[in-house]
Amino acid sequence: MSNSKQTKALLVHSPVTGLSIPPWAPAQTAMHLAGSGVCFEQYDANLDFFLNHLLTSKRLAELVNVIKKRAEQGTFKKAEPYAASLADDLAANPDKWNRKIDNIGNSFKLLKTEAFFRPEPFLAALKNIDDLLDLASCAFYPSRIQRRCFTNPAIKDWPAVNAFVEDREANPFLFLCHDGLATRLESPKLDLVILFISAPDQLMAALTMAHFSKKLRPDLHIALMGDQLTADVEQYGHTLLPETDPKPLRHLMGALRESAAVEDAAVPDYRGLPLKEYLAPALVLPLRIHADPDSDLIPPTLFSHLSKICQQTYNAQGFFCIDGHVKSNFIEKLAHEATGKEPSFCMNLPCALEESLDREALTATYQAGVKLVQWSNPAGNLKALTQILWDVSKAGIWNHVIMPAGAESSSDQELARFMATNPNIVHSLIRRQPSASFFAGPDKLSPASTVYTQVARLPGRPFWHSLDDAVYLLLYLNRYDPKTIMRWRVRDDGLSVYSLGSNISYHFVEPQQLPPGYLDEICRMVEAGGSVDITLVRYNIERAFLIGYALDQGVIVGNSTLKRPRKEYVDAVNQQAGLDLGNYLERGYTSVRPEYRGMGIGAKLLEGLTARVGDLKLFSVISADNVAARKMALRNQTQQVASFYSSRLDKEVGVWIPVWMLKD
């Protein structure tokens, strides 16, 4: 290739990634090339693929005809459930699907307006997009295209990849090559194409475009850029480039053109990207706090300067940090830099959950605009880690924790249980599911729940599950506080939203007055709490003086009991603690579902039971290590009057009595 003329480069952001945010890698490369004498064009092929080539009314109508022909050929008889049921529904309800197709433009528009922040219209728009992606996928089955995800279980090795890049039936990226990429490759001045592969889900599209480009323009130099690329990928291009290290890019540009010098600039160049087309109501820009693997952190003062430039140049209202982990010294400096200032933008922080983190600095980052902390790789003392999470949540920041895949240590299990039982502290908890193979895509993330799994299911699912794009979660957190989002729940129809705790009713009855099935459910609730010996739960509840329970959405969400203490128990307490409880009722078996913690349900149940005891007196037994129950007891004006060792629980427990009863 001659280096006597000006080099022209095409920077291609490959499908499939999210649609809410511009890509960092092409903008970073454009920054390096600016002022180097290289002429370049940024092409967001991912956005173009979804908005202009796949999810258009015309294309979808064409794909419907393809699906009908494939159904006649028996393609979906042994297909995955989503494809088989969709093909059947398309045949049975064609008018419904025609309406969905006609509405795709409105779904895209809604995500870019204020209606985005209204949960039910937001859900309707996402559902329509996701449904139509599944529809389009059926035309290319077994390939499946989703927001931010591409899979094809038939691709298991490199020979299968080689076949896929030319497979018109299964490869949805070929029409993007012919209709979108080809026109950009026609320029006779074009010398270089850089295809970006920042995530594994982009691999198949990037290799398809590389193969297509080499066939259409054998004279072009094809470079593949990504930090996780293996030598097997090299057959599709001429050069492999790392994403976060500009030195190989400098070497390549020097080889292509003697006078081309890659610049060391500070701000990614997003000007060549269609910033108004991304599916979000406000522009959020990706940034790296580590400029490259060999660099130290960008100083917070420089980060603040960069963010102001991006705000002024692009009108950005948020920044999404795409680093793996932000180090503690950056957090401390960022907190110091933000002291006394009003945040002018929102941002996230990806952090490793380590006990060495400065808790005060973390909570102070809220003043710097941090709304979301994405935790991973927890390591350290359980008490220290839970205190960090507690402090961050009290500051108004959303705690999102990714638990690692694989076997768990006992400390991991304890931490997982704490997080699952305290969703008011750890707001979203997901577990990494290892991928079956390199070709199956990246590790998947799924919501994790390890507690209260044996009790009745709450209707629907948490709303935050629908905010699976972290940029959408960040934007919602910039509009609503974590408590509001945590309490939203999507009904089973997938479209309507209700708020937990908005319609709670309280009931106080004798055991024989419980509706059918309620006794069993209350026993399961008590056992799920995990803080009592379960061998006598049913026996004690069946003989209880009074049972209180709270209902929401037709489900028991909290319960408590006034038990009649067994004689052998009364005698044991009298012998160990010198306290006669013969004429007392025991207040206990209080259990509140994790989703309803912090709403005062336990306190209202205890108040209601206490108000109905008449002339009888009450006590409760709380283990010394049950900090939450001890705090609740103090808030409800009860006092520890004795303690003893419980051989059944193998721990020290305290006897608590309401203060006003002690005065009698």
Side-chain angles (χ1 to χ4, degrees):
M1 183 180 298
S2 172
N3 54 19
S4 61
K5 64 183 180 66
Q6 183 182 46
T7 300
K8 181 175 181 181
L10 179 64
L11 314 181
V12 183
H13 178 54
S14 310
V16 168
T17 63
L19 301 169
S20 61
I21 188 171
W24 176 83
Q28 183 77 355
T29 302
M31 173 196 77
H32 289 308
L33 296 179
S36 67
V38 175
C39 178
F40 60 86
E41 175 190 356
Q42 292 192 66
Y43 172 40
D44 192 337
N46 178 66
L47 197 66
D48 192 34
F49 171 69
F50 282 103
L51 270 56
N52 302 319
H53 296 285
L54 183 68
L55 296 182
T56 67
S57 297
K58 181 180 178 182
R59 178 73 66 182
L60 289 167
E62 294 171 353
L63 295 179
V64 165
N65 292 327
V66 173
I67 296 168
K68 290 178 179 177
K69 290 180 181 178
R70 300 192 79 186
E72 292 172 358
Q73 296 166 355
T75 300
F76 305 111
K77 287 183 178 179
K78 294 183 179 180
E80 292 184 52
Y82 89 88
S85 61
L86 193 150
D88 290 341
D89 192 53
L90 177 63
N93 302 289
D95 290 342
K96 179 187 85 171
W97 286 97
N98 287 335
R99 289 192 297 272
K100 293 177 79 66
I101 290 171
D102 291 340
N103 197 43
I104 184 61
N106 291 330
S107 298
F108 288 149
K109 289 178 183 177
L110 184 141
L111 295 179
K112 298 192 287 184
T113 68
E114 272 294 304
F116 171 94
F117 294 107
R118 292 160 48 203
E120 292 185 349
F122 169 79
L123 289 171
L126 278 191
K127 186 176 189 307
N128 195 46
I129 292 170
D130 290 344
D131 287 349
L132 291 176
L133 284 173
D134 278 346
L135 176 74
S137 296
C138 286
F140 300 97
Y141 189 82
S143 293
R144 187 173 188 184
I145 313 139
Q146 298 171 282
R147 289 180 293 116
R148 303 181 301 111
C149 181
F150 174 78
T151 55
N152 183 321
I155 304 174
K156 298 178 180 179
D157 51 32
W158 284 103
V161 174
N162 297 337
F164 174 80
V165 296
E166 291 189 336
D167 187 346
R168 290 183 175 273
E169 288 193 357
N171 191 334
F173 309 116
L174 283 172
F175 65 78
L176 172 68
C177 292
H178 288 282
D179 300 342
L181 179 61
T183 56
R184 291 171 169 83
L185 297 178
E186 289 173 356
S187 171
K189 297 181 179 180
L190 186 65
D191 302 294
L192 169 67
V193 175
I194 302 179
L195 292 153
F196 295 87
I197 309 173
S198 302
D201 289 294
Q202 296 177 280
L203 181 62
M204 291 302 126
L207 298 185
T208 299
M209 290 189 289
H211 182 74
F212 178 85
S213 300
K214 289 177 74 174
K215 287 183 66 176
L216 186 66
R217 289 284 306 274
D219 58 312
L220 291 178
H221 189 99
I222 308 297
L224 299 167
M225 181 179 283
D227 286 334
Q228 305 297 323
L229 302 182
T230 64
D232 299 285
V233 176
E234 198 162 7
Q235 62 181 300
Y236 288 91
H238 302 98
T239 305
L240 300 185
L241 298 171
E243 188 174 284
T244 52
D245 185 355
K247 291 190 289 293
L249 178 63
R250 292 192 186 102
H251 178 76
L252 173 62
M253 299 313 299
L256 294 179
R257 185 171 184 271
E258 291 179 359
S259 61
V262 174
E263 297 285 313
D264 279 325
V267 183
D269 187 352
Y270 295 103
R271 290 174 298 178
L273 294 167
L275 299 182
K276 294 184 178 180
E277 299 303 314
Y278 294 94
L279 301 186
L283 180 61
V284 177
L285 293 178
L287 287 177
R288 282 192 184 273
I289 295 173
H290 293 271
D292 64 66
D294 298 326
S295 72
D296 199 355
L297 292 162
I298 295 175
T301 51
L302 178 56
F303 178 80
S304 298
H305 176 67
L306 296 180
S307 62
K308 288 178 182 177
I309 291 176
C310 287
Q311 285 178 292
Q312 294 167 0
T313 305
Y314 306 114
N315 194 30
Q317 297 183 37
F319 297 95
F320 197 83
C321 179
I322 58 175
D323 292 86
H325 295 131
V326 174
K327 297 179 181 178
S328 58
N329 57 337
F330 178 86
I331 295 171
E332 294 165 10
K333 293 175 182 176
L334 181 65
H336 178 75
E337 178 70 16
T339 303
K341 299 177 183 178
E342 285 294 321
S344 56
F345 55 84
C346 60
M347 65 177 292
N348 69 311
L349 281 180
C351 296
L353 183 54
E354 301 171 341
E355 60 181 284
S356 60
L357 290 170
D358 187 321
R359 285 160 37 200
E360 290 187 10
L362 269 168
T363 57
T365 59
Y366 183 81
Q367 292 302 117
V370 173
K371 306 290 184 179
L372 166 66
V373 176
Q374 295 158 294
W375 302 101
S376 59
N377 302 330
N381 175 269
L382 177 65
K383 184 177 181 181
L385 298 184
T386 56
Q387 189 63 55
I388 288 170
L389 294 168
W390 175 242
D391 289 347
V392 171
S393 71
K394 284 197 297 184
I397 299 172
W398 183 282
N399 281 316
H400 175 80
V401 180
I402 303 173
M403 293 294 289
E408 291 184 326
S409 65
S410 58
S411 59
D412 287 338
Q413 292 173 0
E414 288 184 46
L415 179 62
R417 179 172 178 81
F418 168 83
M419 294 189 292
T421 53
N422 292 279
N424 56 319
I425 298 174
V426 177
H427 306 98
S428 48
L429 173 64
I430 58 179
R431 186 170 299 281
R432 192 176 295 279
Q433 303 293 335
S435 176
S437 72
F438 172 76
F439 298 99
D443 293 353
K444 303 303 178 187
L445 303 174
S446 61
S449 179
T450 57
V451 297
Y452 283 76
T453 54
Q454 68 269 50
V455 301
R457 171 182 169 273
L458 282 174
R461 55 185 168 79
F463 176 72
W464 67 261
H465 288 189
S466 301
L467 300 170
D468 54 355
D469 185 323
V471 174
Y472 288 169
L473 176 58
L474 177 63
L475 287 170
Y476 256 80
L477 288 168
N478 199 41
R479 177 63 61 94
Y480 302 102
D481 63 86
K483 182 183 293 186
T484 298
I485 297 174
M486 272 301 302
R487 292 184 180 180
W488 281 337
R489 198 167 179 89
V490 183
R491 297 187 189 277
D492 290 328
D493 61 10
L495 294 172
S496 56
V497 176
Y498 69 95
S499 184
L500 295 177
S502 59
N503 193 29
I504 295 177
S505 59
Y506 292 88
H507 308 265
F508 301 91
V509 298
E510 296 177 4
Q512 61 271 23
Q513 296 174 322
L514 286 170
Y518 277 37
L519 178 63
D520 293 337
E521 180 66 4
I522 288 172
C523 289
R524 287 192 288 267
M525 284 280 290
V526 173
E527 292 170 6
S531 61
V532 300
D533 178 12
I534 66 173
T535 56
L536 294 171
V537 168
R538 178 173 289 273
Y539 176 90
N540 288 332
I541 291 179
E542 287 176 338
R543 291 159 178 77
F545 175 80
L546 197 65
I547 297 172
Y549 62 92
L551 283 180
D552 191 25
Q553 306 297 319
V555 176
I556 295 176
V557 299
N559 53 265
S560 191
T561 304
L562 292 180
K563 299 182 289 181
R564 304 179 193 273
R566 294 175 294 111
K567 183 178 184 304
E568 56 267 33
Y569 182 81
V570 171
D571 292 344
V573 173
N574 194 6
Q575 183 177 358
Q576 287 196 55
L579 184 64
D580 184 5
L581 300 175
N583 294 318
Y584 281 71
L585 296 172
E586 181 181 357
R587 190 168 65 183
Y589 289 167
T590 301
S591 180
V592 178
R593 294 184 71 124
E595 302 93 336
Y596 287 80
R597 304 274 168 88
M599 297 185 190
I601 292 174
K604 289 179 181 177
L605 287 169
L606 295 179
E607 289 172 7
L609 290 171
T610 303
R612 290 167 171 80
V613 298
D615 295 331
L616 297 174
K617 292 187 176 182
L618 306 175
F619 75 95
S620 56
V621 175
I622 304 174
S623 61
D625 60 356
N626 193 339
V627 178
R630 292 169 66 90
K631 287 182 178 179
M632 180 184 291
L634 291 171
R635 285 198 302 269
N636 286 284
Q637 302 299 308
T638 60
Q639 179 178 315
Q640 181 173 326
V641 297
S643 63
F644 64 95
Y645 176 78
S646 170
S647 58
R648 184 182 294 113
L649 296 178
D650 191 26
K651 62 176 70 174
E652 191 79 11
V653 297
V655 178
W656 295 67
I657 294 176
V659 173
W660 61 271
M661 288 185 175
L662 295 173
K663 297 178 181 179
D664 293 344

